[in-house]
Amino acid sequence: MNKAPFLTREQAREITKNHPTPFYIYDERGIRENIRRLRKAFAWNEGFREYFAVKATPNPYLLRIFKEEGCFVDCSSLTELMLADTVGFHGDGIMFSSNDTPDEDYRLAAKLGATVNFDDLTHVLPYGELAPYGETVSCRFNPGGEFKMGNTIMNSPKDAKFGMPEEQLKEAFLLLKARGVRRFGIHAFLASNTTDERYYPKLASILFELAVRVSAETGVKIAFVNLSGGIGVPYRPEDTPADIEAIGNGVREAYERILVPAGMGDVAIYTELGRFMMAPYGALVSRVLHFKHTWKEYIGLDACAANLMRPAMYGAYHHITVLGKENELPAGVFDVTGGLCENNDKFAVDRPLPETEIGDFVYIHDTGAHGHSMGYNYNGKLRCAELLLCEDGSVRQIRRAETPADYFATLDLTPFQK
Ligand SMILES: *Cc1c(COP(=O)(O)O)cnc(C)c1O
């Protein structure tokens, strides 16, 4: 089975005249079309908003595309807030879903007028010492126990560091209400990377029922329910993509079953999707540098885990296409590696691939989210450039590659210079 790249070998060749490999490239058309599909699937909800999770792909040029398409941003750190501000997001256009939050992050969130989504009850009163509460505040829920769909355990909220139990959430709402907050949001993130179309409707039912209880018991006005992230993408060629239309309909069914009869038919639905919005529309493009024939067959690339950490960190599968050889049969199985002094620096293990040559373009699929942004500098490796394949077919550099000067920028080398 195969997966289609959004780039041809000829395009890759053309690009490398100006931009050496490795590089990330994002597909503007794909990003925009997907945003429109999502917004259409939730158009039944008047207040619907997607707050793109900035951490997935924190690049201002990409955030601007989200802005143009009517989306908002979800931030969780000082620098993500700064980036959002730069692109022109402010006020309730920013959701601040942080945890274990430093004071200065909260101060900036307050200054920008962001909607704060408290991860914990113990943050609520100290925040009031730093800044005035906004009109609208959200709290993050953790139901504990296991999160199941059918008989399958999807996740164990009881072991997750995020969110607060129901009793604490109600206490937080009462504290906030007494301090002048008028509109409240409820948020939870209970499963990651799931293409199962039952996930959002299940999560929505849990949060809608909670919203009804909380509203009845505390008398607060629930303005929104934030289903956060977690919708997955088909990383493997045999995976089925998440059917966003069915997901939107499933959430609507829960909304009409639970919220509408409770007189809460004005609650807005928010999402904070990251992976679903970007992963399929980004690729890491690298070239074959070396072959090695020892106990196994190796293909060495000019990219390494410092460019894309997911395989090394989670054993994540990323499909690989050798550009121009899409239709060739496998010539064997190969480990595809980078040059870190770490044996887990492998983009693929025992992967069937066609015959490759040195210099061939290796296209690593579905790396548009949690790819470049998780990059690091181990072994002194430098992060690569990010490019945008624009709708008109032109290619624009939206982040340059790091140079050794960037790597040394935090050191004072003058005492060592001769
Ligand atoms: C990471 C994160 C998201 C996005 O998650 P995806 O799996 O990329 O959709 C959304 N909300 C919060 C609070 C997050 O931490």
Side-chain angles (χ1 to χ4, degrees):
M1 276 208 251
N2 235 322
K3 252 172 125 54
F6 60 75
L7 198 73
T8 63
R9 175 167 56 187
E10 288 59 45
Q11 279 173 303
R13 258 196 210 124
E14 198 55 37
I15 290 169
T16 48
K17 288 181 186 163
N18 298 312
H19 308 284
T21 54
F23 55 79
Y24 273 84
I25 186 158
Y26 305 102
D27 173 25
E28 179 179 6
R29 183 186 306 276
I31 297 166
R32 289 188 189 270
E33 287 175 356
N34 185 58
I35 295 173
R36 290 173 197 166
R37 277 194 296 274
L38 172 78
R39 296 196 59 205
K40 192 156 165 252
F42 284 90
W44 56 266
N45 181 256
E46 205 177 315
F48 176 76
R49 285 182 167 200
E50 153 68 3
Y51 285 85
F52 173 63
V54 171
K55 73 168 191 277
T57 328
N59 187 300
Y61 293 87
L62 300 173
L63 297 186
R64 189 162 66 193
I65 293 175
F66 280 90
K67 189 160 193 283
E68 286 169 1
E69 293 292 338
C71 295
F72 302 88
V73 283
D74 162 42
C75 300
S76 57
S77 68
L78 184 80
T79 48
E80 288 179 5
L81 287 168
M82 292 165 80
L83 204 54
D85 182 32
T86 303
V87 181
F89 291 100
H90 52 80
D92 67 4
I94 305 175
M95 185 67 60
F96 189 55
S97 292
S98 61
N99 70 94
D100 192 17
T101 313
D103 288 355
E104 66 171 332
D105 296 27
Y106 272 145
R107 277 198 204 94
L108 181 57
K111 191 172 153 222
L112 298 176
T115 301
V116 174
N117 180 27
F118 284 113
D119 180 63
D120 194 49
L121 172 62
T122 60
H123 289 203
V124 171
L125 292 180
Y127 178 95
E129 306 284 314
L130 302 170
Y133 299 102
E135 189 195 33
T136 310
V137 172
S138 176
C139 283
R140 186 164 181 168
F141 174 56
N142 181 327
E146 314 277 13
F147 177 66
K148 290 187 195 156
M149 283 196 310
N151 293 323
T152 319
I153 295 178
M154 302 294 291
N155 210 350
S156 297
K158 67 179 167 55
D159 297 323
K161 69 169 181 167
F162 305 108
M164 57 190 109
E166 179 165 342
E167 288 315 307
Q168 293 183 10
L169 185 134
K170 286 177 192 155
E171 194 179 332
F173 278 17
L174 288 171
L175 287 174
L176 289 160
K177 188 185 171 201
R179 284 158 183 79
V181 174
R182 304 220 324 268
R183 301 169 74 250
F184 290 80
I186 294 179
H187 168 285
F189 190 150
L190 299 185
S192 186
N193 188 27
T194 173
T195 52
D196 189 323
E197 63 190 52
R198 294 170 302 170
Y199 169 60
Y200 253 21
K202 175 82 197 267
L203 171 68
S205 304
I206 294 171
L207 295 184
F208 294 162
E209 280 164 8
L210 174 69
V212 171
R213 283 196 302 275
V214 167
S215 159
E217 289 171 35
T218 65
V220 305
K221 164 81 194 155
I222 305 293
F224 66 83
V225 167
N226 184 344
L227 302 174
S228 79
I231 297 185
V233 299
Y235 284 109
R236 293 173 185 268
E238 66 272 23
D239 289 347
T240 347
D243 179 345
I244 198 65
E245 208 171 306
I247 292 170
N249 284 334
V251 174
R252 178 181 198 162
E253 186 278 319
Y255 191 97
E256 286 169 358
R257 180 166 45 86
I258 303 164
L259 288 182
V260 174
M264 294 170 70
D266 59 347
V267 170
I269 303 296
Y270 292 171
T271 56
E272 284 173 351
L273 296 165
R275 188 187 317 272
F276 181 77
M277 305 316 293
M278 280 300 303
Y281 315 109
L284 172 58
V285 179
S286 179
R287 293 182 98 151
V288 177
L289 273 190
H290 295 287
F291 296 111
K292 182 165 175 168
H293 320 280
T294 55
W295 309 104
K296 299 188 84 172
E297 289 295 314
Y298 293 99
I299 299 175
L301 303 186
D302 59 10
C304 67
N307 303 109
L308 175 67
M309 198 181 194
R310 290 176 30 79
M313 190 165 171
Y314 313 112
Y317 181 96
H318 281 276
H319 199 65
I320 288 178
T321 296
V322 182
L323 294 181
K325 300 188 173 174
E326 285 82 353
N327 300 318
E328 290 185 21
L329 292 174
V333 294
F334 302 87
D335 281 15
V336 182
T337 77
L340 290 187
C341 302
E342 277 282 348
N343 195 41
N344 67 1
D345 184 13
K346 294 180 178 177
F347 294 109
V349 175
D350 297 330
R351 183 72 59 89
L353 288 172
E355 199 69 59
T356 47
E357 289 158 50
I358 287 176
D360 273 356
F361 290 104
V362 169
Y363 177 104
I364 307 179
H365 290 253
D366 303 315
T367 49
H370 313 299
H372 188 282
S373 60
M374 265 192 199
Y376 59 116
N377 284 123
Y378 191 52
N379 261 178
K381 294 285 186 181
L382 304 174
R383 274 172 286 230
C384 64
E386 293 184 294
L387 311 177
L388 182 64
L389 176 60
C390 303
E391 279 192 298
D392 64 6
S394 64
V395 171
R396 172 164 195 194
Q397 177 168 285
I398 57 172
R399 185 195 297 271
R400 69 164 171 80
E402 286 179 343
T403 67
D406 295 310
Y407 182 73
F408 293 120
T410 50
L411 291 172
D412 180 4
L413 294 180
T414 43
F416 302 91
Q417 274 154 1
K418 298 177 201 86

